[in-house]
Amino acid sequence: MGKKGKKEKKGRGAEKTAAKMEKKVSKRSQKEETFLYNELYIYNIRKDAWTKVEIPNPPPRRCAHQAVMVPQGGGQLWIFGGEFASPDGEHFYHYRDLWVLHLATRTWEQVRSPGGPSGRSGHRMVAWKRQLILFGGFHESTRDYIYYNDLYAFNLDAFTWSRLSPSGTGPTPRSGCQMTVTAQGSIVIYGGYSKQRVRKDVDRGTQHSDMFLLKAEEGREGRWAWTRVNPSGAKPTPRSGFSVAVAPNHQTLLFGGVCDDEEDESLEGHFLSDLHFYDPVRNRWFAGQLKGPKVEKRRRRRGKKGEPRGANKQELKGTGAQEPLQVVRELVAEDGTVVTIQQGLAALGPAGQAESDDSDDGTNEAGVPAVEPSPRSSAMLAVKHGRLYLYGGMFEAGDRQVTLSDLYCLDLHKMEEWTVLVEMDPESQEWLEETDSEEDSDEAKGAEGGGESEEDEDSGEEAREQRPSAAPGEPFADSLPRTEQ
């Protein structure tokens, strides 16, 4: 074959590849849909039940916003910003509106105040004295994107915005960072995510691991100062999409997240389920280690009742060492695709208890290995009565993003074990992407021929059926990184 023939064949191959890719994109755009919510759910701790609360005139549907509770006026829930996308992805924009839910009267109110932050998502907002303090976030359009490191304060008495200009060097622009208030009145900023363009159509993300302290200057109202701090201890590995809450001892706790390995246009995430605590007084990180129940300790004090009489200790020792267990859960999508989730659990000892480095620690009496939340990012955390509640989040299985609706609880005073309050519901999962293998298979066939309520009128069973559906932590897989929420 001559050079001309080779070129023509190569040209036809390129056209065929381009047509195939165009068909894939068209097919994917037809199948993928984004669903956003503006529903309000309350979890009743005493009843162990979810209740959907219907309140007229709520804020428009959105995600990646911020919500803060304050005690003023009998309890208020303040919401700012976030983003919206239509189901087909054709319409997308960021909000800059401010809303308040008056819990005493159960009414929504939109608060219109000039001079506030621009439209954004992935920002962070906390309550500080009688103000809301807002930091960072990002804004993305079809042509470009921008990350922020600006700082705003909203006065809860005067209902006015003001932009703050702290002295010192503060954090670089970012979204999805940790922002918490210490018992001493300072504000901690840790980590976050940002991206920058390295060349045409190629962006590189950065998972920040630096920490800053924001302090109000004494005797100078409205004046603030940034200070960079370098905590010691067992620091969390670099990550984004982690969740934070404040423990009863005023320490900040951090859970999970995802560490992304980016190679030009490819992205692979390693999801985490570890727990860390930051002590602002000692400026030190601690790894959150669970002790396990004390059942085995009590048994030993009573004369080792769990050990059979006349048993050969050498035999017990020889049969006790077992491999770590794997709990396997299978989620089945509507199209029949099966995604497997594996959780690694501690190895079992001779009596069925999980082995531990600490001889005083044991497992539950039934000998069932403790279950903990699976690795995830963008989970929701809340602390009430000394207990940490963890809801939902997302993880990835291959090319699919899986959203979760399970609920766990951990007693922060005992730090023994997680309790499952609501099991993961496979039917509520939403699949945000089609895998290439499935698309190729379809094409081959064609060629051959996604707080607490005081009400008592609803029963626990009825309320449990009203639990929130799994909501995507990052619904815009083609346009935004999942770690910015």
Side-chain angles (χ1 to χ4, degrees), residues 140-145 197:
E140 184 157 1
S141 64
T142 55
R143 297 182 300 274
D144 203 359
Y145 57 83
R197 189 146 293 160

Side-chain angles (χ1 to χ4, degrees), residues 174-449:
R174 64 192 63 191
S175 69
C177 59
Q178 165 190 321
M179 187 177 187
T180 52
V181 180
T182 70
Q184 294 72 35
S186 301
I187 297 176
V188 177
I189 299 289
Y190 167 75
Y193 179 90
S194 64
K195 67 179 180 180
Q196 59 182 357
R197 189 146 293 160
V198 294
R199 61 177 183 269
K200 185 179 180 182
D201 298 329
V202 178
D203 301 316
R204 184 171 298 279
T206 299
Q207 297 171 122
H208 301 278
S209 58
D210 47 1
M211 180 178 286
F212 295 82
L213 205 61
L214 180 65
K215 291 184 178 180
E217 297 184 4
E218 294 184 9
R220 303 183 65 183
E221 186 176 353
R223 302 294 297 177
W224 297 73
W226 285 113
T227 304
R228 179 162 182 173
V229 294
N230 295 300
S232 59
K235 302 178 183 179
T237 57
R239 68 190 67 192
S240 51
F242 53 82
S243 308
V244 298
V246 178
N249 57 3
H250 301 293
Q251 293 183 359
T252 297
L253 60 87
L254 179 152
F255 173 84
V258 58
C259 178
D260 286 329
D261 296 326
E262 295 189 52
E263 293 293 338
D264 291 336
E265 298 180 4
S266 64
L267 179 68
E268 182 176 352
H270 174 60
F271 287 81
L272 306 164
S273 60
D274 50 352
L275 190 63
H276 295 265
F277 291 85
Y278 172 69
D279 186 342
V281 176
R282 302 168 62 183
N283 190 28
R284 185 178 181 87
W285 282 104
F286 298 90
Q289 300 291 342
L290 301 187
K291 303 174 184 177
K294 304 291 185 174
V295 177
E296 182 64 17
K297 182 178 179 181
R298 289 196 297 269
R299 284 181 174 177
R300 283 197 293 269
R301 288 178 177 176
R302 294 171 185 172
K304 299 183 179 180
K305 295 181 180 179
E307 181 178 324
R309 294 181 180 180
N312 188 311
K313 293 185 179 180
Q314 187 64 32
E315 290 179 1
L316 288 175
K317 183 178 180 180
T319 59
Q322 298 184 22
E323 295 294 326
L325 297 181
Q326 290 286 338
V327 174
V328 180
R329 299 179 180 178
E330 292 185 345
L331 304 180
V332 182
E334 293 181 358
D335 59 3
T337 303
V338 178
V339 175
T340 302
I341 305 173
Q342 291 186 342
Q343 288 181 263
L345 303 176
L348 290 181
Q353 282 79 30
E355 295 178 343
S356 172
D357 294 335
D358 186 351
S359 60
D360 287 340
D361 293 338
T363 61
N364 53 55
E365 276 188 86
V368 179
V371 177
E372 60 182 13
S374 59
R376 65 190 68 195
S377 69
S378 303
M380 294 291 104
L381 300 183
V383 176
K384 185 73 172 178
H385 303 318
R387 296 177 180 270
L388 171 65
Y389 293 86
L390 183 150
Y391 169 75
M394 63 82 61
F395 73 97
E396 291 180 352
D399 293 333
R400 294 183 180 272
Q401 291 186 352
V402 181
T403 56
L404 305 171
S405 60
D406 47 356
L407 181 65
Y408 290 81
C409 177
L410 174 65
D411 190 320
L412 295 175
H413 296 297
K414 297 179 180 179
M415 286 294 292
E416 293 181 353
E417 61 179 344
W418 286 97
T419 301
V420 183
L421 301 177
V422 178
E423 292 280 359
M424 187 163 51
D425 182 8
E427 295 182 359
S428 68
Q429 308 310 310
E430 296 188 22
W431 311 99
L432 302 183
E433 289 193 34
E434 284 289 317
T435 61
D436 292 340
S437 60
E438 288 172 343
E439 291 171 352
D440 292 339
S441 175
D442 291 342
E443 290 176 2
K445 290 179 180 178
E448 294 174 359

